[in-house]
Amino acid sequence: MRRTALKALAAALAGAFVSLPLYAQDKPVEVEFYYPVAVGGPITKIVDDMVAAFEKDNPGIDIKPIYAGSYQDSIAKALTALKGGTPPQLAVLLSTDMFTLIDEDAIVPIDSLAKSETDKKWLGGFYDAFMQNSRTGGHVWGVPFQRSTIVMYYNKDLFKEAGLDPEHPPATWDELVDYGKKLTKKDASGNVTQWGVKIPSGGAFAYWLFQALTTPNDAILMNEEGNQVYLDKPAVIEAAQFWNDLSAKHGVMPRGTVDWGTTPKDFLEKKAAIVWTTTGNLTNIRKNADFPFGVAMMPKAKRGGSPTGGGNFYIFKSGTPEQQAAALKFAQWATTPERAADWSIATGYVAVTPAAWETDKMKKYAAEVPAATVARDQLSVSVAEFSTHENQRVTKTLNDALQAMLTGSKTPQQAMGDAQREADRVLRSYR
């Protein structure tokens, strides 16, 4: 009798425990989210506000943003954390980091998580130009978030002063040289006080700006598999020669390297009449320019075009299934048409889906700020950003070669030939 009573009590207690929610299930799912602060403007507050809005809609998920510095800092910190066993569950990293993250076995294919028909429709809704740096090997590895193209900003007042039509930016390489000469000013001692053109070449982004020259010259720098580059092809060397000539021959750009970070500041301070930089700087320039400015596509040589750029969402393999599901939900939420429109308006990045441009707020914004549509329209002739296996090493090789050329220590042909040989050596094992 006693044994029967004990069994009954045990069964009752077991039933009670089963019916009670586990403590772990009551806790929000925590997702560490690495985000790079690499572009001017109050980006961290925008991200904080976005996270707060998501958590209000999704009280069972706790997103913890970690601001990890530049894109280069962010990938380094993410891989260091991976090796230490404490990686984030979600990160915005360069779209070009895809091969590196795959090689490090750091991320999961997003299409392995997004399996429903609704999920598949979401994955199919992005601009294809952005997806070119998001998929390989039959899988989608990253989701476009803060994406861009290179655009040309120009000071309309300085155009007028130089006798140029402020509504007609340079549309060809020849016009860029001609306008640059008219816009370059010197003082009585012969020192340049205002440059006609500044194309950034310092730091980590020289290769990207180079693609704004190779693409219009109808040259592609790498294959889709990321294991072969074409740096010594004639059209590539022609593009390098033109960039070098802007300073060495035509005198419309400073000799040596032009710093990436200070280029928008030089434009705002009227030290340069024309600058090339990311559309992600649009909001920063809009808010701080005390003069009318225009935004235009890349000047043509044989065709139009720019590389795409910017960051993708990546979901890390080390997350629990619950964390991966939560990370996916946040990425989906952040790229809905309304949210993608909000992000584009707040930051200047290109809204990453055609549906975002069909929202009322985006239509109103495009009517008020037509400059915002330039990068979107350029997507039809844009190409994938330079990306390979061993991406950091290969891009550094190309950056070093371009900087050697621009400082005069190598000819364009020498620089590109040396870069090709070194890249071939690095990539040989991936072919």
Side-chain angles (χ1 to χ4, degrees), residues 82 99-108 141 316-318:
L82 177 71
F99 287 112
T100 298
L101 292 165
I102 293 169
D103 292 342
E104 293 286 345
D105 199 27
I107 56 174
V108 293
W141 296 87
F316 278 67
K317 183 176 284 190
S318 55

Side-chain angles (χ1 to χ4, degrees), residues 115-419:
K115 294 180 178 179
S116 72
E117 288 305 311
T118 301
D119 292 339
K120 290 174 183 177
K121 184 177 179 182
W122 166 67
L123 280 178
F126 296 95
Y127 282 106
D128 186 69
F130 290 144
M131 294 304 290
Q132 290 175 27
N133 277 115
S134 305
R135 62 189 178 220
T136 189
H139 285 292
V140 175
W141 296 87
V143 173
F145 175 54
Q146 55 178 44
R147 298 301 301 273
S148 59
T149 69
I150 300 167
V151 292
M152 178 168 56
Y153 297 84
Y154 64 98
N155 184 318
K156 292 187 176 183
D157 282 349
L158 298 183
F159 267 49
K160 287 181 184 177
E161 289 176 17
L164 297 167
D165 182 351
E167 304 306 323
H168 182 80
T172 66
W173 282 8
D174 288 342
E175 285 186 349
L176 184 67
V177 172
D178 180 50
Y179 283 35
K181 289 178 178 178
K182 293 173 180 175
L183 291 162
T184 300
K185 293 181 180 178
K186 297 181 179 179
D187 61 20
S189 303
N191 298 312
V192 174
T193 57
Q194 174 186 298
W195 288 103
V197 184
K198 279 196 174 184
I199 300 174
S201 53
F205 291 110
Y207 76 90
W208 193 47
L209 276 298
F210 186 44
Q211 279 190 277
L213 293 159
T214 56
T215 305
N217 208 38
D218 207 18
I220 298 297
L221 296 185
M222 76 290 176
N223 65 357
E224 291 182 5
E225 293 76 26
N227 59 14
Q228 179 68 56
V229 298
Y230 314 115
L231 306 181
D232 59 351
K233 300 298 183 185
V236 177
I237 294 171
E238 284 176 10
Q241 185 71 58
F242 178 75
W243 194 359
N244 190 63
D245 285 350
L246 288 175
S247 56
K249 180 180 178 181
H250 303 300
V252 301
M253 192 174 73
R255 190 70 172 140
T257 57
V258 173
D259 185 68
W260 163 265
T262 61
T263 298
K265 184 171 179 284
D266 290 344
F267 181 67
L268 293 170
E269 293 178 355
K270 304 171 191 174
K271 294 178 182 176
I274 298 171
V275 298
W276 293 11
T277 187
T278 170
T279 187
N281 268 315
L282 177 59
T283 299
N284 175 35
I285 290 174
R286 277 184 63 220
K287 288 182 177 178
N288 293 296
D290 61 359
F291 52 84
F293 69 91
V295 178
M297 297 185 194
M298 291 295 95
K300 296 178 182 178
K302 298 170 184 172
R303 52 160 284 185
S306 162
T308 59
N312 280 349
F313 280 119
Y314 295 101
I315 298 175
F316 278 67
K317 183 176 284 190
S318 55
T320 65
E322 293 78 15
Q323 288 174 320
Q324 290 178 354
L328 177 66
K329 191 168 189 178
F330 180 70
Q332 290 175 322
W333 180 92
T335 54
T336 58
E338 292 290 328
R339 295 295 174 185
D342 288 339
W343 180 256
S344 178
I345 293 166
T347 63
Y349 284 104
V350 185
V352 290
T353 64
W357 291 91
E358 293 302 316
T359 61
D360 290 341
K361 65 180 72 174
M362 204 66 196
K363 287 179 179 178
K364 181 181 178 185
Y365 176 64
E368 293 173 352
V369 188
T373 66
V374 173
R376 177 202 66 187
D377 294 344
Q378 193 168 234
L379 289 176
S380 64
V381 288
S382 291
V383 300
E385 185 177 356
F386 186 74
S387 178
T388 67
H389 292 280
E390 300 279 357
N391 194 56
Q392 305 249 326
R393 292 174 66 189
V394 176
T395 54
K396 185 178 187 303
T397 294
L398 179 52
N399 286 340
D400 289 348
L402 292 167
Q403 289 158 7
M405 174 192 76
L406 293 167
T407 55
S409 62
K410 290 184 180 181
T411 66
Q413 190 160 358
Q414 287 172 332
M416 293 301 101
D418 289 349

Side-chain angles (χ1 to χ4, degrees), residues 51-103:
V51 166
F54 172 79
E55 290 179 342
K56 185 178 179 182
D57 290 348
N58 300 273
I61 300 174
D62 185 5
I63 304 290
K64 295 184 175 297
I66 298 172
Y67 298 108
S70 68
Y71 278 120
Q72 288 69 36
D73 293 336
S74 297
I75 183 69
K77 288 178 181 177
L79 293 179
T80 299
L82 177 71
K83 289 176 173 63
T86 57
Q89 290 78 53
L90 178 69
V92 169
L93 300 169
L94 284 173
S95 62
T96 54
D97 288 327
M98 177 180 67
F99 287 112
T100 298
L101 292 165
I102 293 169
D103 292 342

